[in-house]
Amino acid sequence: MKKIESVKEFGGWLNRYEHQSESCHCKMIFSVYLPPQAETEKVPVVYWLSGLTCTDDNVRTKAGAQRYAAELGLALVMPDTSPRGDDVADEAERYDLGKGAGFYVNATESPWCDHYQMYDYVTKELPALIEKNLPVLKNVKSISGHSMGGHGALICALKEKNAYRSASAFSPICHPVKSPWGENCFSAYLGKDKNLWKTYDATELVKAGANLIPVLIDQGTDDEFLAEQLFPQDLQAAYEEQNAQITLRKQEGYDHSYHFISTFIGEHLAYHAEALKK
């Protein structure tokens, strides 16, 4: 991997890298914040998965997470949301399909399957690359994300047993098989088999008895996508039916934006730090 940018922040370094992805068959870019503690020791990692239309740049410039990561001694890894490049399939007129909308699945349908292998990228290829090349602890990681990335964080934690010490999300798409965003992307990437869709749906995974990792979710009550796209109540009901631990905090007056995320990101990172340092 090649470092293409480096900025000092809060005693640590916000770096940007590019590499040729074996999973996605294209050049991928991601950002990493290394706290000051990483100068002398290996540190635990929190992976952040971003939402529709985003790249790695949104969270690193808008969330204010690096200040808290520096205080807590956490590395932050912030991948892109989809494959990129001239050869990568896209629907340029749409924001919710194609580039910027990888949905963290392994696509099975043409033309998407050639590049859209984002689940393998974020759960296997990227962690292996990070652990090999940067001063981070091996297999000591947590995961979080926003909206489509909240969906991604939840399914990664539910599907990959013992891979993550903790999981959290802001405004996640909790039941994508009944969400217009999920239905559009799943039908394109995964085809008509809705049983396959369910293997990338947090609510359906919990119903099926997946790895029931405790989760923390923050949801704004004034989120414009709450009623038609997100369905946190479905995930909460599925968790409670399994007698598993879910903390769903309804934050009065907050919307779907990074104003909301930046307000509570410190609490999420503290939640992960506690789990990672046990």
Side-chain angles (χ1 to χ4, degrees), residues 174-185:
C174 294
H175 206 174
V177 300
K178 59 186 281 189
S179 159
W181 280 338
E183 290 175 346
N184 288 335
C185 284

Side-chain angles (χ1 to χ4, degrees), residues 81-140:
T81 52
S82 76
R84 305 281 177 174
D86 294 339
D87 297 332
V88 174
D90 190 25
E91 291 284 347
E93 71 280 4
R94 294 181 58 177
Y95 77 94
D96 58 350
L97 181 66
K99 294 177 185 177
F103 240 87
Y104 304 101
V105 304
N106 287 337
T108 58
E109 300 298 300
S110 181
W112 310 102
C113 58
D114 291 342
H115 298 283
Y116 285 75
Q117 304 295 312
M118 288 299 295
Y119 183 81
D120 280 353
Y121 180 72
V122 299
T123 61
K124 297 178 177 63
E125 182 178 3
L126 186 58
L129 190 70
I130 296 296
E131 291 176 3
K132 180 179 179 182
N133 291 283
L134 295 177
V136 302
L137 294 166
K138 188 173 182 180
N139 295 323
V140 183

